[in-house]
Amino acid sequence: MSGSERSRKTRRIVVYSMTSIFFSILIAGIVYGLQPMILPFIIGAFLAYLFKPLANSFRGPAITKYIRAGALLFFVGSITYWGTTFIKASLPNEREKLQLKVRLQYRLNERYLSLMNLADGGKGNFIYKTLGQEFDELKKRVIDYVKMSDDERKRFLILQKEISDSDHENKKYYEYYLANLKNQKVDIEKLKSLAGSAIVAIEKPAGDDIGNLANIMRALSHWIILPLAFIFILLDKGQIFHFFLRLIPNRYFELAYTVAEKVDDALGKYIRGTMLECLLVGLTLFIGLFISGVELKMAIIIGMVGGLTNAIPFVGTFIACIMGVFYSLIAENVHSFLPFINENNLMIAVLAVVVIAHLLDNAIYQPLVVGSAVNIHPLVVILSVFGGSLMFGFAGMIFAIPTIVIIKVVTETLFAGLKDYRII
Amino acid sequence: MKPITKLTENEKKSALRIFWGQLRKVNRNVPEQDKIKFLKRIPFFELLKKHQLDEVARVVYEREYRDGEYIFEIDQPGAALFIIQSGEISVEIPTPKGEATQLAVISKNAFFGELALLDESPRSASARAIVPTKVLALFRKDLDKLNSTNPDITANIYKSLATIIGNRLKATNELIERKIKAVA
């Protein structure tokens, strides 16, 4: 190597190092300064990545990329809006929450008495005679857990007073309430008098609304980045990838492309496969529960939650099971499509639906839609999701699985590639 | 006021073609147009129409190599075809003594590593820049993707590839025949 070439090489190293340091500092500064925008950006990019194959599949002379991106944004936006509105509407308000507690306590007690043959003066069945003491203790603990506090009781009575006499559906909870108190041997008259005492609602200061509006506007200004990221990444025809690949030295050019392609392929297959699997499990749960007699709104909620959480092995099944059992405990007036399912055996039907959904997932959905995708041990998935949520909260939970897939595929492909290209 | 004349179907099609063509031109930047002009001269893409070349230009990568720098080495997995935009490339194989035997020197508008468009089989020779060289790289994976969205483009590329490989096979057969006759 001649002297001029050596000095050129030195200059090149210095320029590259200085540029790298400058851009590293700049990027770190930007990331730190724009922290609130990172999550919306990542979600927008993630959605674009997810829907890119769908956008590419809609082709035709009249369908430009702008129409495709706009239509998909509208579709994703509508689904998100519908989903959040539905979930918001499904969440119980204060009165419904208290009624739910009353109903749960009442139903639990009723179910226990009927299960142990203690209702209508019964002396208990064989199970009760053998293990009655232990079961009584367990029931007491559960009831203690769901029963209302004194403040909640006062609030419940006030809210019940606001209900008109013709509203029999809501009025019945007062009967349940009295029955619960009777079971707990509480002085009813004393409690009734409590309801009369005024509970002063905490008045919000006038400035609060303006403060809230400012907060909403600030949040909106951050989240506006989401549709922008979605549109621009969906419209991108490989320019971003070209840009980053241009930065790779010639020696690693083919290798870098191969690794990036393999990661993209594996990540895409895993995420899209898992999403489709979740959708199928959610649909199975919804249809099964609805046919069994679970009311429509509740069947949708259990299907949605069970389906979404199914991305974490076993968690989806477990959550759907808990929610279904909880619902079957408080279910009233069950109208099932199957004549043999009633209020008393709804719990068995719900458990059967959850088991069927789980079996279908393992036997058909997973092999069919996620079969060729990268294989990650369930324990690793669970640990990464919990670890992600501990470290970065909600965002960490969402992006834990994609991160694990990227790390696994990059490690595997990179080392194999480095050997194939005789770099190591 | 002029009377409004109705356009025939062919006139309508031509007008639309001109309209979309103009729009495409507006979208394209100068380097991209240069790339398209260059690709048009390559036998590999001679069967492609202008708008098809536009799609190909989007998936090729420009790289610059210094004198003596390897584009790829023998036995490395093949992932891309390279087309020389400027400069010269030496195609060579190493000898057991560690030296390199030059098989050919190729220059502007020539291409090499085309078998990588078919599979990942290892490179049969090394390619080294002997002067500062600019190349365009077309990856097999990008061609596969293009195949799912624009199969008419890839059909033409594969047709050209088949012709080129067929011609080379013929030439090799003739060479072997000549050598056998010479030995006999």
Side-chain angles (χ1 to χ4, degrees), chain A residues 13-26:
Chain A
I13 291 169
V14 170
V15 168
Y16 283 153
S17 311
M18 295 298 283
T19 317
S20 307
I21 292 167
F22 171 73
F23 277 105
S24 304
I25 293 169
L26 187 72

Side-chain angles (χ1 to χ4, degrees), chain B:
Chain B
M1 202 174 154
K2 279 182 185 175
I4 300 165
T5 50
K6 271 193 173 180
L7 292 174
T8 63
E9 276 303 307
N10 277 344
E11 282 171 336
K12 270 185 200 170
K13 275 182 187 170
S14 304
L16 272 174
R17 209 177 297 133
I18 292 165
F19 173 72
W20 287 116
Q22 288 304 322
L23 270 188
R24 272 194 212 105
K25 270 181 195 165
V26 171
N27 277 335
R28 271 188 229 141
N29 51 27
V30 176
E32 206 174 317
Q33 283 188 33
D34 288 346
K35 220 192 274 179
I36 293 164
K37 273 183 195 164
F38 172 74
L39 287 175
K40 192 134 187 69
R41 290 199 292 262
I42 310 299
F44 228 92
F45 307 111
E46 63 188 5
L47 297 173
L48 300 186
K49 288 171 191 154
K50 245 185 173 180
H51 71 275
Q52 293 178 321
L53 278 171
D54 201 12
E55 292 288 329
V56 176
R58 282 201 183 105
V59 295
V60 291
Y61 297 81
E62 277 183 52
R63 303 294 295 186
E64 284 180 35
Y65 292 84
R66 290 189 309 278
D67 174 14
E69 202 175 358
Y70 277 96
I71 286 94
F72 55 73
E73 287 178 57
I74 190 166
D75 290 337
Q76 282 183 346
L81 152 93
F82 293 90
I83 305 158
I84 305 170
Q85 268 189 310
S86 66
E88 278 182 354
I89 293 289
S90 163
V91 179
E92 51 197 35
I93 49 169
T95 60
K97 287 178 184 171
E99 292 160 359
T101 306
Q102 195 174 68
L103 301 178
V105 173
I106 47 177
S107 53
K108 195 178 172 182
N109 293 354
F111 54 87
F112 56 98
E114 65 276 5
L115 291 182
L117 292 185
L118 298 177
D119 60 18
E120 210 183 354
S121 54
R123 303 281 192 190
S124 53
S126 301
R128 187 170 56 87
I130 45 179
V131 289
T133 303
K134 263 185 174 181
V135 297
L136 288 180
L138 173 64
F139 282 89
R140 182 180 58 252
K141 282 275 175 189
D142 283 330
L143 206 61
D144 290 346
K145 280 182 202 163
L146 207 60
N147 193 36
S148 59
T149 54
N150 298 71
D152 46 340
I153 298 177
T154 48
N156 283 329
I157 294 176
Y158 286 127
K159 199 174 166 186
S160 300
L161 183 64
T163 311
I164 290 159
I165 293 172
N167 287 340
R168 283 186 187 173
L169 195 65
K170 268 184 214 165
T172 314
N173 285 342
E174 279 168 16
L175 187 75
I176 293 169
E177 261 176 44
R178 274 204 302 274
K179 293 250 176 191
I180 291 170
K181 274 178 190 168
V183 171

Side-chain angles (χ1 to χ4, degrees), chain A residues 106-381:
Chain A
Y106 177 79
R107 285 275 160 202
L108 273 175
N109 199 54
E110 194 186 53
R111 297 272 153 155
Y112 180 75
L113 293 179
S114 109
L115 203 70
M116 296 295 166
N117 199 18
L118 293 166
D120 304 323
K123 290 187 175 171
N125 53 19
F126 172 74
I127 302 169
Y128 186 75
K129 278 172 186 159
T130 322
L131 294 161
Q133 215 174 343
E134 283 78 10
F135 278 128
D136 275 346
E137 187 60 31
L138 185 69
K139 186 199 104 182
K140 193 180 167 297
R141 277 192 194 173
V142 175
I143 297 283
D144 281 349
Y145 187 71
V146 296
K147 78 178 181 190
M148 292 194 288
S149 65
D150 283 348
D151 279 347
E152 282 174 331
R153 281 189 191 123
K154 281 188 247 173
R155 196 80 193 122
F156 173 77
L157 291 171
I158 289 168
L159 291 168
Q160 280 298 114
K161 272 184 182 175
E162 290 168 7
I163 296 167
S164 69
D165 288 337
S166 58
D167 187 353
H168 299 294
E169 183 59 30
N170 279 314
K171 275 283 171 195
K172 74 179 176 197
Y173 295 114
Y174 185 66
E175 304 300 321
Y176 288 179
Y177 169 77
L178 291 179
N180 287 342
L181 293 181
K182 201 175 154 193
N183 286 329
Q184 283 173 244
K185 299 176 179 69
V186 177
D187 186 350
I188 295 169
E189 288 311 313
K190 188 187 156 196
L191 275 161
K192 270 184 181 174
S193 68
L194 280 174
S197 61
I199 296 172
V200 183
I202 303 160
E203 279 186 22
K204 281 189 280 177
D208 256 22
D209 285 339
I210 298 161
N212 285 341
L213 195 68
N215 284 338
I216 291 167
M217 291 309 286
R218 206 173 300 129
L220 266 181
S221 70
H222 295 149
W223 284 89
I224 199 81
I225 203 84
L226 192 153
L228 292 176
F230 179 81
I231 286 273
F232 283 104
I233 291 174
L234 208 63
L235 289 178
D236 172 67
K237 280 198 159 186
Q239 294 97 321
I240 300 171
F241 185 56
H242 272 239
F243 170 77
F244 284 108
L245 206 62
R246 210 175 293 149
L247 303 176
I248 304 289
N250 285 334
R251 189 169 164 72
Y252 309 107
F253 169 57
E254 271 191 280
L255 172 66
Y257 177 92
T258 311
V259 172
E261 272 301 317
K262 284 190 178 162
V263 170
D264 175 48
D265 189 47
L267 189 67
K269 270 186 187 160
Y270 190 86
I271 292 179
R272 288 179 201 115
T274 308
M275 297 283 276
L276 191 61
E277 183 201 348
C278 290
L279 181 75
L280 288 170
V281 170
L283 269 176
T284 311
L285 283 171
F286 160 67
I287 294 169
L289 292 173
F290 186 58
I291 290 173
S292 304
V294 174
E295 60 185 271
L296 182 69
K297 205 171 166 182
M298 204 59 203
I300 294 177
I301 291 176
I302 298 176
M304 267 168 74
V305 176
L308 281 174
T309 48
N310 195 61
I312 312 164
F314 309 111
V315 173
T317 311
F318 180 72
I319 288 179
C321 191
I322 296 286
M323 286 177 81
V325 167
F326 175 80
Y327 173 80
S328 57
L329 278 174
I330 58 169
E332 290 170 333
N333 307 322
V334 173
H335 301 293
S336 170
F337 286 92
L338 306 170
F340 52 86
I341 297 175
N342 55 41
E343 223 172 279
N344 298 321
N345 58 18
L346 181 66
M347 194 193 290
I348 298 165
V350 165
L351 287 173
V353 168
V354 174
V355 169
I356 289 169
H358 186 70
L359 289 177
L360 278 175
D361 183 27
N362 283 345
I364 299 172
Y365 303 155
Q366 255 185 36
L368 215 67
V369 295
V370 217
S372 61
V374 59
N375 185 27
I376 299 176
H377 196 279
L379 186 66
V380 176
V381 176

